Structures are given as structure tokens and as C-alpha cells.
Amino acid sequence: MQNTENKDVSGIALLVAGAVVLSVVSFVLVNLDTILLLLLAAAALWLLGVLLRALARSLAERARAWLRGAHRSPARAGAGTACRATARNPGKSPRKSTGKSIARTAEQARRSAVEDMRTAWIRWQLGVLPPQQRRGDASFIAARLAEVPHADWDATRLRRHGQALWCIRDASARTPLQGEVEARLDRVAAMISELTDDEFDTHRGQTDEHYLYHPDREVRAAYLAGGSQAVETIMGTITAVRAQVREDAAARAAADSLARERNAALRALRETRRPARPRDAHAAWEAQAEQIGR
């Protein structure tokens, strides 16, 4: 009797389990598309989370490494460089390698200071600058350079011309006309500075704190020397523009004088082309009039 009851209970449990399984299978088959989309969305979210976690870990490691390098003393930095150099090349002097590294950094600081000062000066003279154009071929840049500024241009027209050149500055770096664009920008900035009373503050050209407050004294000195070199170049550009303006004015005055002489010569030639007989008749008439008047 007990065995019969156990079999009945087992049969009922099997029937219930089979019904549940059939229901689940039927639900999955009916909503298969929805379930697949949910699974894909979950997988995409999981993959995105993994990528973001890896990116955050990489950025954190880089930030920690940068902070360690920034706060490391010059002596420890030099010692570490010397040890690594000795391990790579036992015959090479660690002090010599460190000196070369500092010299390269100082040269980079000097070039950076020259460019910072020059760019700040151009920005100050041109005013509000338009965005840069990343694309542009040599013919397009040559068309912009075809318009040459003259001494009689006012500051507004010079600024418009300089801003147009600024737009193509980055694009010109991929063409042979980069040097002409940079030279034209310097010339326009110098011409504007001669027409305006705005004084350029050289503090604007030395704002790179990485070199300005560098732990090594040689690098700091190179950055300051680069700024002074840029100022001297700017002064030379202004002097050259003044000389060019004087030459243009002298050439214009000479052209005006020659034009007046040529006009006078043409006027005299036009007078000599009149027929002689009418002039003789007029002279005879004037002589007869004088006789009658007597």
C-alpha cells in the first residue's frame, strides 16, 4: 500500500515537472527573438563594462606614473637614468648620458619658447582668430597668398588678411608654401603693430609651466633665452617692415614724379602736332588787327 502511494506521488511530481518544462520551452520558443535581444544587450553591456574598467585602470596607472615622475627629485632622476644607461652600455658614462638628456630638453624648451612668444604676438595683433582649416592644397594656399598687403592698408584690412592666413596655417604645413605663410603672418603682424597703439605684453608668450618651472636650471634658462630670442626676431621683423614701407613710399614718389614728367612730354608733343598754316593765318590776322587799331 505504501509503495503504491509513493508511485502515485512520483508520477504526479513527474507530470508537474513535465508541465513546467513544456511551459518554459513553449515560452522560450514563442519569445525567442526577445530573449536573444536581451542576451545580446546583456553581453554588450558586460563587454562595455570590461572595456571601461580596463581604460580606467590604464589611465590611473599613467596618472600615477606621471605624478611619480613629476615629484621625483633631479638627483634621483639623474641616478635612475645613469643606472639604466650603465646597464644597457657598461662602457658609457652615466653622467655623460644625463648631460645629453638635459641638453636635449633645454633645446626643446628654447624652441618651444620661441614658438610660444611668436604665436602669442601674432594672436595679439590679429585679434579674434577664426578656426583652423585642416585641409587645403597648394593651389588654394597660393591663391590666399596672391593678395599682397600694401603700406596704405588700414589695420582692419590687415587683420582680415592675417586672419585668412591664420585659417590655412595648419594646412600649409603639408605643402611647400608653409614658409611663405609664416613669413606673411609675421609681416602682417608687424604692419598692424605700426598702425596701432596697443602694447604687447611679453608675459603672454611665456606661459609653459613645464619649462618655466622645470627642476633643472639649464632648462629654465633655455626657455627664458628662447623668449628673448623671439622678441629680438619680432623687433627685426618690425624694423624690416619699416624699411620696406620707406622703400615703397620712395618707389611711389619716384613713379609719381616720372608720371608727371611723362604727362608733360606728351602734352608738349600734342602741341607740336597742330598744323602750321592755321597758326600762321592767326598770326597774320593778329598783325592786321594791330595795324587797323593804329
Side-chain angles (χ1 to χ4, degrees):
M1 185 69 180
Q2 187 175 359
N3 292 334
T4 303
E5 291 178 354
N6 291 334
K7 291 181 179 179
D8 293 339
V9 172
S10 300
I12 293 172
L14 290 173
L15 289 175
V16 171
V20 171
V21 170
L22 289 176
S23 299
V24 171
V25 171
S26 177
F27 177 79
V28 170
L29 292 176
V30 172
N31 301 279
L32 183 60
D33 296 339
T34 304
I35 294 174
L36 289 176
L37 290 175
L38 291 175
L39 290 175
L40 289 174
L45 291 175
W46 177 79
L47 180 61
L48 181 61
V50 171
L51 293 176
L52 290 176
R53 184 178 179 183
L55 180 61
R57 183 178 300 174
S58 176
L59 292 176
E61 291 178 356
R62 290 183 181 180
R64 285 195 295 269
W66 182 83
L67 289 175
R68 287 195 300 269
H71 290 86
R72 186 172 57 183
S73 64
R76 293 181 60 187
T81 305
C83 292
R84 289 193 294 272
T86 305
R88 289 194 299 267
N89 190 356
K92 191 175 182 180
S93 173
R95 185 175 299 176
K96 186 176 181 180
S97 299
T98 304
K100 288 184 178 180
S101 176
I102 293 175
R104 286 195 299 267
T105 305
E107 179 61 21
Q108 292 174 0
R110 187 193 63 79
R111 291 197 300 264
S112 178
V114 171
E115 182 60 25
D116 290 347
M117 186 67 70
R118 175 176 172 269
T119 302
W121 183 63
I122 293 175
R123 286 176 174 272
W124 174 259
Q125 302 300 340
L126 297 183
V128 180
L129 295 175
Q132 293 275 351
Q133 294 181 3
R134 302 297 178 181
R135 297 179 181 178
D137 55 5
S139 60
F140 175 74
I141 296 172
R144 290 294 180 89
L145 291 171
E147 185 182 19
V148 180
H150 299 289
D152 57 349
W153 284 15
D154 59 5
T156 302
R157 189 173 180 183
L158 286 170
R159 284 197 179 96
R160 285 200 300 265
H161 181 68
Q163 290 166 2
L165 293 174
W166 181 269
C167 289
I168 61 174
R169 187 186 187 191
D170 284 355
S172 68
R174 295 180 291 274
T175 67
L177 300 175
Q178 181 184 11
E180 295 186 27
V181 172
E182 297 294 344
R184 180 69 63 80
L185 280 171
D186 289 336
R187 180 184 175 187
V188 170
M191 295 175 71
I192 294 173
S193 69
E194 288 295 282
L195 295 176
T196 60
D197 295 330
D198 297 336
E199 183 179 354
F200 172 65
D201 186 3
T202 56
H203 285 93
R204 297 175 178 270
Q206 289 190 321
T207 57
D208 193 336
E209 296 183 355
H210 175 69
Y211 293 125
L212 190 60
Y213 305 113
H214 196 274
D216 193 272
R217 182 181 300 174
E218 184 178 349
V219 176
R220 296 196 301 269
Y223 186 70
L224 296 176
S228 300
Q229 178 183 349
V231 172
E232 291 179 359
T233 303
I234 291 170
M235 294 171 64
T237 303
I238 294 175
T239 303
V241 165
R242 288 177 179 176
Q244 186 64 44
V245 169
R246 287 194 296 268
E247 291 180 2
D248 293 344
R252 174 57 59 186
D256 293 341
S257 177
L258 285 174
R260 288 192 296 269
E261 293 178 3
R262 292 162 184 162
N263 292 338
L266 291 174
R267 190 179 304 112
L269 181 62
R270 188 168 56 251
E271 293 292 335
T272 60
R273 289 181 58 191
R274 293 180 179 179
R277 183 175 299 175
R279 290 203 305 271
D280 295 342
H282 184 70
W285 180 82
E286 288 182 349
Q288 185 177 3
E290 291 180 359
Q291 292 179 357
I292 295 174
R294 293 176 183 173

